[in-house]
Amino acid sequence: MPPQSASTSSGTPPPIRVHILGAGPVGLILTALLQPTERFSVHLYEKRRDYTRTRMVQLASSLVAESVESYCTDYIDQESVQAVFDPKEISNVLAFRESVPSDLKTLLRGWTQGFCPLNAIERSLSDLIDARQSHPVQRTTAVVTAEDAVAMLEPGDILIDCTGARSVLRDQLVPGADAASGANTYTIRLEYALVITFLYGQAYECNESCKYYKNIENAHYKFIPAVNRTFYDGSVSHVTGIVNISAEDYERMPSQFDGQWLRDNFAHVAESMDRFIAKIKQETNGEIVGDLEIIRIPLQLYHARNATSREWRRTRTGDHPFSRSPAFLVGDSAMGSPYFQSISLGFECAMFLAALLAERDLDLGDVLDRYELYAYKQWLRVYMRSKMIKHNKDLLECVGNDDALLEKLHIY
Ligand SMILES: Cc1cc2nc3c(=O)[nH]c(=O)nc-3n(C[C@H](O)[C@H](O)[C@H](O)COP(=O)(O)OP(=O)(O)OC[C@H]3O[C@@H](n4cnc5c(N)ncnc54)[C@H](O)[C@@H]3O)c2cc1C
């Protein structure tokens, strides 16, 4: 850990200043985890004044797992989790989680039940931080640039970048590289897609055969609801479907629109969506509640090759503040995956980092190395998971067309 500066007159060292950039879900949970610790004084910087993102998100049940076995239980990538993480490593994480304040644990348990609006997660965390009586967090509403962040660092401070996919610091973590070059970001584009969400007035579940049979007449554009994408709130289901589109389609669409716009402008894509929905209705006798919400996005898988300022410390380049004070990337600033696991990944890394920082006797070099390794393992896990989902999705889309299917099979 960074050396604490001189003791106060009472003999207790002054708290270490932790600057957290970005109060999205990940910056907020990290703040809520570090706030109760005497050793730290947390400063949280956020450019937005209000939480307005209403999209529904789902969190992984591993966030509230109580045993190594339940942590690894996942029907998509159980084996990968077991291959990548040592049981000892997982039990250390679980041991730390026991010290997570109960107010926060209760919130996490609720969010892992099913879909929640993103801004409900953000508001609850933000309110929890503000309501705590001891160790108030200093909050600043401002756009923070990389230059601001570096300038505010005093020796011994800790800087944590939670500014999301367009991270403020990611490409500053490689000494000597041009920050604009993206030198520290590795990106794989999986597909361009429409993400179509709606509420459906009945309980509705969709397994792989449902995904296949409801798409049988959709020759080109398949509507694929992601597995486990339904949330039961009474008898209402939340459905999110992904439709693979071409780069040309993507360029010709606005970033956000409704079902009618799609019908008016991309009839073939809309037909496949409507056909799928008609079959759900036929099967379950329900209706869509409200309108369809559609966004078009490039589905990308990416990570920061360096998730910390370790390289600056190693090379001791000039008098750069990162040579003296550590910086970490957490959440979407460190890595992102397209198939709905990013917040959980960010929360996992936030909990791990909070546990490392709480260990008083750990050398700063060890903290940096261990966080790098953990972030890399989370990347490996999400890389394998996302590639597998994409590959299986590609295969599902051509079931029934033997030639197309065989083309996608790579055996040995
Ligand atoms: C359609 C869609 C559906 C999704 N569904 C899911 C899902 O089901 N499950 C899931 O886990 N994930 C989902 N995601 C992804 C999820 O929303 C993100 O992974 C998550 O929001 C990342 O959290 P974060 O805190 O790391 O970053 P962000 O949420 O991006 O927060 C970053 C914060 O930093 C602030 N900030 C940025 N730059 C600056 C600056 N220069 N100065 C000050 N403040 C700054 C921003 O205002 C923001 O508040 C979905 C994404 C999309 C687009």
Side-chain angles (χ1 to χ4, degrees):
M1 283 301 309
Q4 273 173 295
S5 23
S7 307
T8 59
S9 53
S10 66
T12 17
I16 298 170
R17 298 196 314 164
V18 182
H19 306 275
I20 299 181
L21 311 183
V26 177
L28 286 164
I29 201 161
L30 194 53
T31 302
L33 288 165
L34 295 177
Q35 182 184 19
T37 318
E38 296 280 346
R39 275 177 88 205
F40 302 120
S41 105
V42 183
H43 299 233
L44 180 59
Y45 304 81
E46 170 56 52
K47 64 180 179 184
R48 291 182 292 158
R49 294 195 173 271
D50 195 9
Y51 291 114
T52 51
R53 297 184 292 184
T54 51
R55 70 171 172 260
M56 300 288 268
V57 296
Q58 193 179 35
L59 303 192
S61 58
S62 61
L63 290 171
V64 292
E66 288 181 349
S67 66
V68 174
E69 197 190 4
S70 60
Y71 181 91
C72 298
T73 305
D74 188 291
Y75 88 110
I76 295 186
D77 65 356
Q78 174 155 336
E79 258 183 27
S80 307
V81 178
Q82 286 166 339
V84 171
F85 296 98
D86 286 337
K88 179 90 179 72
E89 200 168 22
I90 300 172
S91 45
N92 286 345
V93 171
L94 298 182
F96 170 74
R97 288 188 193 173
E98 280 172 28
S99 65
V100 169
S102 59
D103 48 6
L104 190 50
K105 269 192 199 152
T106 309
L107 289 176
L108 279 168
R109 262 188 227 111
W111 297 329
T112 50
Q113 297 299 310
F115 281 92
C116 334
L118 179 55
N119 63 349
I121 296 179
E122 293 176 314
R123 282 194 188 129
S124 321
L125 284 170
S126 182
D127 291 349
L128 177 138
I129 291 164
D130 291 342
R132 286 179 177 161
Q133 301 292 320
S134 56
H135 311 118
V137 166
Q138 198 173 311
R139 298 179 78 144
T140 304
T141 308
V143 175
V144 181
T145 62
E147 293 72 31
D148 298 334
V150 167
M152 69 170 91
L153 272 187
E154 289 173 13
D157 285 2
I158 296 173
L159 180 59
I160 307 178
D161 177 356
C162 301
T163 54
R166 296 203 185 110
S167 160
V168 169
L169 294 180
R170 191 188 308 127
D171 290 315
Q172 311 279 333
L173 293 182
V174 185
D178 171 10
S181 68
N184 194 32
T185 311
Y186 176 65
T187 307
I188 301 167
R189 165 137 327 135
L190 294 176
E191 58 184 309
Y192 289 97
L194 292 185
V195 177
I196 301 172
T197 53
F198 58 90
L199 288 175
Y200 184 65
Q202 291 290 325
Y204 149 63
E205 240 175 299
C206 190
N207 60 17
E208 274 63 20
S209 94
C210 159
K211 291 184 215 314
Y212 171 65
Y213 284 108
K214 289 193 176 63
N215 272 301
I216 253 175
E217 293 139 59
N218 292 336
H220 186 55
Y221 297 101
K222 314 273 188 193
F223 179 95
I224 310 220
V227 183
N228 277 348
R229 297 304 291 163
T230 55
F231 166 66
Y232 301 111
D233 174 13
S235 58
V236 176
S237 309
H238 181 269
V239 182
T240 296
I242 293 181
V243 180
N244 191 342
I245 54 171
S246 66
E248 295 73 45
D249 285 351
Y250 175 87
E251 288 304 331
R252 287 164 50 223
M253 290 175 178
S255 57
Q256 201 166 350
F257 45 94
D258 60 18
Q260 198 49 51
W261 189 92
L262 191 66
R263 289 179 195 106
D264 293 343
N265 294 279
F266 286 83
H268 292 314
V269 189
E271 267 165 28
S272 91
M273 170 188 82
D274 285 332
R275 214 177 267 133
F276 194 100
I277 294 170
K279 290 190 179 185
I280 304 174
K281 288 182 180 174
Q282 205 176 30
E283 202 174 87
T284 52
N285 295 316
E287 284 300 329
I288 287 184
V289 182
D291 203 357
L292 299 164
E293 284 180 20
I294 309 178
I295 59 168
R296 60 102 165 104
I297 41 175
L299 296 184
Q300 316 205 118
L301 189 57
Y302 68 88
H303 85 131
R305 293 184 190 274
N306 299 275
T308 70
S309 55
R310 179 170 71 170
E311 286 304 311
W312 283 99
R313 193 176 135 85
R314 257 193 202 148
T315 51
R316 304 240 170 239
T317 321
D319 196 25
H320 196 282
F322 286 166
S323 313
R324 303 184 303 265
S325 303
F328 301 86
L329 306 178
V330 191
D332 276 18
S333 67
M335 69 189 91
S337 70
Y339 303 120
F340 314 111
Q341 312 123 79
S342 293
I343 300 180
S344 306
L345 269 179
F347 280 11
E348 293 277 1
C349 290
M351 288 196 227
F352 187 81
L353 181 59
L356 282 182
L357 296 178
E359 277 192 47
R360 283 179 183 271
D361 301 328
L362 212 53
D363 172 74
L364 175 58
D366 284 344
V367 174
L368 292 164
D369 286 346
R370 285 175 62 182
Y371 184 71
E372 282 286 359
L373 181 62
Y374 188 76
Y376 189 69
K377 286 184 170 197
Q378 289 291 357
W379 156 251
L380 274 188
R381 175 192 176 177
V382 79
Y383 169 78
M384 290 192 280
R385 183 184 169 101
S386 305
K387 290 289 280 187
M388 181 161 64
I389 292 176
K390 169 70 176 135
H391 182 65
N392 290 354
K393 212 167 137 277
D394 287 349
L395 296 183
L396 182 88
E397 285 182 1
C398 53
V399 172
N401 177 346
D402 288 351
D403 289 338
L405 190 60
L406 286 169
E407 232 174 75
K408 295 205 161 50
L409 295 179
H410 306 293
I411 302 165
Y412 312 125

